[in-house]
Amino acid sequence: MVTTPALLYLLVPQSGIQYGSASPLLLTGLGRSDVTAFASGPAGTWTRVLAPWLGAPLAFGRAGAPGADGMPSVGQLLTDYGLPALPPLSALFGIAGHASGRSLSPRLHNAALRELRLPALYLPFQVDTFPRFWRWANGFGALARLPLRGLTVTAPHKQSAVEVADIVGPQALRCGAANVLWLDAGRWRAATTDAAAVLRILARAGVDPSGHRAAVIGCGSTGQAVALALLQAGARVTLVNRGHARGREASSRLGVPYVPLSRFSPAGHAVLVHATPLAERQPFPVAAVDRGAAVLEMVYRDPPTALMSATRARGLIGIDGWDVLRVEVSEQFQLLTGHPFPDELPLRSLCFSQVECADAHDLTEPGESPPAQSPIQPTSGATP
């Protein structure tokens, strides 16, 4: 770079095991306005987004769907992260998971941060080993002067979120899993928002689980949190799972009966909660569900899942994951930032404001011929 004159320089190292930390730190150390640096690969997606705040003159995005190489789409850069504007930035939030680059959480949380004019950015962190990521994230925040203030956490890292926290909420402690971590007066707190979301959504639909039989299909961390909430609300809960080992372990942890999915009948249950990723087919026969029963699922898709389509076709109470998503995001945003999620932000129009969004939340892959790469030149209203 010293010996070869150029208008712009582009540095793209492999992200490796350090979550792409080299590129943004390089930008902060160079102090040059002619260098764009980010890490390649899905683990480096967040570096592509953050680079303009650290001095990079350009951000690159695909003209169509996001790329398998970690490059976000132009639509994501505009809608999820607010580029090309660069408002002041003093803290970072994010989602830590296996496929975080395709999550809708950055779009929703960043829209709320912009609406409230909070100097923070919510980024997608693809994580393989959570303890290693946790050490790195806190170290990077100190070096870049952009401290990490909180995370939403997806499977399979929810147990690790409990382990790294200083203070764990009672429901997360009993389930052994948390989906949100936030810094509070210098101490890290962990909690699960799944329980509150389900009870609030059922109440809105006029469903009181107290004294009724309820079944939770799926015994992962989400299913266990939901089962615990229903149990504490007075329901008689049965756990249902395809894998016997996890089903028995969850049954022992929560003290409720377990039935293998192959032997489960939805008949006789007033509340049925689907807490697995299955979307293409019904996890149980909706034709056998009692009239007047409520079916709630944690999966959100558009068009609706097979389960939700069949539930509504029968005229049953059907609550899909979009309703749960809004409550979950609101609960998590409040914990992360200390501010309520703005009510005026419409969830569905945010999620589908770009044509590509259905692909993004369905985790579809781009075609064999990748769309063209388009640079965006950021504009700054203040120096970060």
Side-chain angles (χ1 to χ4, degrees):
M1 290 170 59
V2 172
T3 60
T4 306
L7 178 64
L8 294 171
Y9 299 86
L10 178 62
L11 305 178
V12 189
Q14 293 290 324
S15 57
I17 63 172
Q18 294 302 319
Y19 305 100
S21 61
S23 300
L25 288 177
L26 179 63
L27 282 175
T28 59
L30 284 173
R32 294 176 57 154
S33 61
D34 59 351
V35 178
T36 294
F38 51 78
S40 64
T45 297
W46 72 273
T47 68
R48 296 173 180 268
V49 175
L50 185 61
W53 272 273
L54 302 178
L58 297 174
F60 289 86
R62 293 190 181 276
D69 61 351
M71 182 179 290
S73 69
V74 171
Q76 283 181 305
L77 293 176
L78 296 174
T79 307
D80 294 16
Y81 305 105
L83 291 173
L86 295 177
L89 188 62
S90 60
L92 299 178
F93 298 99
I95 178 171
H98 271 176
S100 55
R102 304 288 181 87
S103 171
L104 289 177
S105 291
R107 179 167 297 189
L108 302 176
H109 282 273
N110 283 320
L113 290 170
R114 291 194 298 270
E115 179 72 19
L116 298 176
R117 299 182 182 274
L118 299 178
L121 187 66
Y122 186 102
L123 295 167
F125 296 109
Q126 177 161 306
V127 176
D128 52 0
T129 305
F130 192 87
R132 183 172 63 195
F133 164 78
W134 185 248
R135 292 190 297 270
W136 165 82
N138 286 282
F140 169 80
L143 289 171
R145 297 180 181 178
L146 288 172
L148 182 70
R149 296 296 186 189
L151 291 170
T152 52
V153 183
T154 66
H157 304 307
K158 293 183 180 182
Q159 181 177 346
S160 295
V162 169
E163 294 168 353
V164 302
D166 301 307
I167 303 171
V168 182
Q171 291 176 321
L173 189 62
R174 185 168 177 184
C175 295
N179 66 355
V180 61
L181 278 164
W182 73 99
L183 195 60
D184 179 22
R187 305 180 75 183
W188 283 97
R189 291 181 176 269
T192 176
T193 57
D194 293 326
V198 166
L199 292 182
R200 284 178 60 184
I201 290 298
L202 287 175
R204 286 182 185 178
V207 177
D208 181 5
S210 179
H212 297 286
R213 294 180 63 195
V216 178
I217 296 86
C219 290
S221 56
T222 298
Q224 291 187 50
V226 170
L228 179 59
L230 291 170
L231 188 66
Q232 293 175 339
R236 302 191 303 276
V237 180
T238 297
L239 289 171
V240 182
N241 204 60
R242 183 176 60 180
H244 298 318
R246 173 170 285 187
R248 287 192 292 266
E249 190 276 334
S251 172
S252 176
R253 178 190 292 272
L254 300 182
V256 297
Y258 155 70
V259 175
L261 181 59
S262 59
R263 291 167 34 203
F264 172 68
S265 170
H269 295 87
V271 178
L272 296 124
V273 180
H274 175 220
T276 83
L278 184 65
E280 291 74 22
R281 64 180 186 276
Q282 300 175 30
F284 52 83
V286 173
V289 176
D290 292 355
R291 284 286 180 186
V295 178
L296 182 152
E297 69 175 344
M298 309 298 284
V299 179
Y300 57 94
R301 292 287 188 274
D302 195 78
T305 64
L307 173 63
M308 199 49 48
S309 296
T311 297
R312 290 169 177 169
R314 277 201 62 199
L316 304 175
I317 299 174
I319 306 169
D320 69 13
W322 290 108
D323 296 318
V324 180
L325 176 66
R326 175 62 192 237
V327 175
E328 290 258 23
V329 168
S330 298
E331 292 279 337
Q332 292 168 357
F333 188 83
Q334 174 82 50
L335 293 174
L336 292 174
T337 69
H339 295 268
F341 191 90
D343 289 334
E344 59 270 23
L345 288 178
L347 178 117
R348 281 186 178 265
S349 61
L350 274 174
C351 292
F352 295 102
S353 59
Q354 298 293 331
V355 174
E356 77 205 6
C357 189
D359 287 341
H361 80 258
D362 275 334
L363 305 183
T364 58
E365 295 296 325
E368 293 181 1
S369 300
Q373 302 175 12
S374 302
I376 293 179
Q377 188 166 355
T379 59
S380 177
T383 302

